[in-house]
Amino acid sequence: MSNDSAESTTATGLTPEQRLEAPTTHLVDAGIATIHDMATLRACVAYENTNQQRVRILRRLAERAQEIRTEEE
């Protein structure tokens, strides 16, 4: 897991914590919208499951995962 997190941080400069602990919901939504790979998404899901377990955030991450899968087809 730490490897995925390190790779996602290197690619974007944002850690899962920075993406999901933004001060406003608009920034959290933007952080999720700018996830472009499954490694970053998995790191964010792992972070959320370990820390807050917010249903709305987990639901949005699941939606973004589906969008990424669709884009990869």
Side-chain angles (χ1 to χ4, degrees):
M1 182 179 89
S2 62
N3 194 16
D4 285 345
S5 181
E7 288 175 15
S8 66
T9 300
T10 303
T12 64
L14 295 175
T15 65
E17 181 179 10
Q18 290 169 320
R19 287 181 185 278
L20 302 176
E21 297 298 334
T24 69
T25 57
H26 295 294
L27 291 175
V28 172
D29 289 341
I32 293 171
T34 58
I35 296 172
H36 298 292
D37 60 273
M38 293 304 284
T40 302
L41 188 107
R42 283 186 205 102
C44 289
V45 169
Y47 175 84
E48 189 62 25
N49 282 331
T50 301
N51 294 286
Q52 300 289 331
Q53 298 181 350
R54 296 169 289 191
V55 174
R56 187 187 75 77
I57 300 296
L58 290 169
R59 186 177 306 125
R60 182 64 186 105
L61 288 167
E63 291 169 1
R64 184 65 187 132
Q66 185 59 43
E67 292 167 2
I68 292 170
R69 287 186 199 105
T70 300
E71 292 168 5
E72 290 177 350
E73 291 178 351

